[in-house]
Amino acid sequence: MFALRHFNSSPSSLLPRWGDGSASVVEAMVTAMEQQQENVTAVQNHTSGVISVVLPMSLGIISNTVALFILVNAYSLQRRRSKATFLLFATSLVITDFFGHVIPGALVLRLYLTGGQSTEDSSDSMCQFLGGSMVFFGLCPLFMGCAMAAERCLGVSKPLLHSSLVTKTRTKVCLSIIWLAALCVALLPCFQLGSYTYQEPKTWCFINVLNDTMGVDVAFVALFSGLGLTSLAVALVCNTISGLTLVLARIRRQPGSHHSARSHDIEMVVQLVGIMVTSCICWSPLLVCYEKNQFSNEFRTVDENLTNYQTLMYIGVRLATWNQILDPWVYILLRRTVLRKIYLIVKCQAGLKDTVMGRWEKSFFPSLDQKEVQQV
């Protein structure tokens, strides 16, 4: 039946009827050409799929390794407790991002090399592990970004309270709670509270939102997207408060007074804003798409809409993986040493010495004047 249907739909049906022998030869040639074209297309898709997995995974490993080396070196030299706490959070974030590339990336690469889903079971053990790891390594950076923003907000707005509450031990406990909370969410499908399934093109697994979804699946998706969006919202509020507090402190500062500690606060808040913006750009499309899907059935009713939604999910997950690549570069590029060089270049090019921006020079870069005098 399949061969007959293929025969009727092939271009050979449009050929003139010469003779039984001639027509059979032409039809065989056309069929062979079609099969060859399909094989070439399949090889090209397979190669592009492997490259699309290997390239981001390699970039993520390199980026996080460089950032980890810089953070460990800075942490060993840091004497200020507030800065050491921030570096401990940042180091944990980079380590989590590193394993978030290695573990899911290796599993997805294996599925690409083996041709995708290998069993009839749409949620085998490998799919369960891959889906759980993607949820775990997806929530951890969002939770950590939220915790870092809250810690800096407390340190900037209430420094005395921060010094009495925030210690290295409590920071480690907070990190353990974050990892445990993300792990508990990822393990919910093991207790039949949600499910993971293969997603198109059957080379990765994630939360089931389209295929025979039940109430627990909807609740699981709502929990995942709700936790992610809440983390981003809390980080946005905390970073806004920190930024406004620093601006007001700079405006109210008496002329001639120096607060070198504020330069560290500005540096950390700038880095947190960078992490927050990166997370919003990378994660918001997927989280909003998931949240929207829970209040609309249009994607499940029409095949065309279903295909579009699967494509959006695939692009959203691809975009979310770049969060783990860009996070370390936020810290690498937004350090004071790098910003100082950028500031000096801009100052030399635009002549900002006597402008309003020059007032920030001594607060954010307190060592610039001293270095310039030593050079003279």
Side-chain angles (χ1 to χ4, degrees):
M1 181 64 68
F2 176 80
L4 180 61
R5 184 167 57 252
H6 181 74
F7 171 77
N8 291 334
S9 61
S10 65
S12 61
S13 60
L14 302 178
L15 295 174
R17 297 292 180 179
W18 295 330
D20 294 338
S22 300
S24 299
V25 172
V26 173
E27 290 166 2
M29 292 176 60
V30 171
T31 303
M33 293 176 62
E34 290 177 349
Q35 185 65 37
Q36 184 178 7
Q37 182 65 33
E38 291 177 0
N39 293 336
V40 171
T41 303
V43 171
Q44 291 176 345
N45 293 336
H46 180 268
T47 303
S48 62
V50 172
I51 294 175
S52 67
V53 175
V54 173
L55 182 59
M57 186 170 65
S58 302
L59 289 175
I61 293 174
I62 295 172
S63 302
N64 286 283
T65 302
V66 173
L68 183 61
F69 175 79
I70 296 174
L71 282 166
V72 171
N73 184 55
Y75 184 78
S76 63
L77 299 176
Q78 188 55 239
R79 295 294 179 265
R80 295 181 68 248
R81 192 171 70 175
S82 61
K83 180 68 173 178
T85 301
F86 177 83
L87 291 176
L88 183 58
F89 270 117
T91 303
S92 302
L93 174 62
V94 169
I95 293 174
T96 304
D97 284 342
F98 176 84
F99 286 105
H101 267 287
V102 173
I103 296 176
L107 294 175
V108 173
L109 180 61
R110 182 176 181 271
L111 284 173
Y112 266 107
L113 294 177
T114 57
Q117 181 180 354
S118 57
T119 63
E120 294 297 331
D121 187 5
S122 61
S123 57
D124 54 22
S125 57
M126 182 176 178
C127 179
Q128 294 293 317
F129 183 76
L130 176 56
S133 64
M134 291 185 68
V135 169
F136 174 79
F137 290 113
L139 288 177
C140 279
L142 298 176
F143 288 168
M144 288 184 183
C146 177
M148 293 167 69
E151 184 270 334
R152 271 300 81 210
C153 180
L154 181 62
V156 170
S157 59
K158 303 291 183 181
L160 295 179
L161 181 61
H162 176 274
S163 62
S164 63
L165 289 181
V166 180
T167 62
K168 186 182 297 185
T169 301
R170 289 176 178 173
T171 302
K172 293 178 180 179
V173 171
C174 180
L175 287 170
S176 300
I177 293 174
I178 288 174
W179 285 320
L180 181 61
L183 181 62
C184 289
V185 175
L187 291 178
L188 285 178
C190 296
F191 302 96
Q192 306 301 318
L193 301 175
S195 61
Y196 300 117
T197 185
Y198 283 98
Q199 309 288 340
E200 293 296 332
K202 304 300 182 181
T203 53
W204 60 289
C205 289
F206 206 54
I207 302 173
N208 181 23
V209 293
L210 295 176
N211 302 322
D212 300 326
T213 56
M214 297 183 294
V216 289
D217 296 317
V218 175
F220 186 38
V221 173
L223 176 64
F224 174 77
S225 56
L227 288 174
L229 291 173
T230 301
S231 300
L232 292 175
V234 173
L236 175 62
V237 172
C238 292
N239 287 328
T240 301
I241 295 175
S242 300
L244 292 177
T245 302
L246 290 174
V247 171
L248 292 175
R250 178 63 184 87
I251 294 174
R252 295 171 181 172
R253 202 185 74 180
Q254 298 295 328
S257 61
H258 298 281
H259 299 279
S260 60
R262 286 296 181 186
S263 63
H264 293 279
D265 291 331
I266 295 174
E267 178 190 27
M268 289 184 283
V269 171
V270 168
Q271 291 171 349
L272 283 175
V273 170
I275 292 174
M276 180 194 67
V277 171
T278 302
S279 298
C280 288
I281 294 175
C282 294
W283 275 103
S284 292
L286 180 64
L287 295 176
V288 172
C289 187
Y290 267 11
E291 197 69 30
K292 179 183 177 181
N293 180 61
Q294 304 316 306
F295 301 99
S296 175
N297 293 323
E298 60 175 331
F299 297 113
R300 302 188 182 95
T301 56
V302 184
D303 291 340
E304 183 179 356
N305 289 336
L306 178 63
T307 303
N308 293 336
Y309 186 71
Q310 290 173 342
T311 304
L312 288 176
M313 282 180 54
Y314 182 75
I315 296 174
V317 171
R318 286 290 187 192
L319 187 60
T321 58
W322 278 92
N323 179 61
Q324 298 168 326
I325 299 175
L326 298 177
D327 269 348
W329 286 105
V330 170
Y331 180 80
I332 293 172
L333 297 178
L334 296 183
R335 292 176 296 147
R336 275 200 306 167
T337 53
V338 177
L339 294 177
R340 182 184 294 121
K341 294 178 181 179
I342 296 175
Y343 179 85
L344 289 174
I345 293 174
V346 174
K347 173 184 168 183
C348 294
Q349 294 293 328
L352 298 177
K353 182 68 177 179
D354 299 324
T355 62
V356 176
M357 290 183 63
R359 299 176 186 175
W360 290 83
E361 184 175 337
K362 291 184 179 180
S363 62
F364 192 36
F365 308 118
S367 59
L368 281 179
D369 289 341
Q370 183 179 359
K371 288 187 176 182
E372 290 177 358
V373 171
Q374 291 176 353
Q375 291 176 357
V376 174

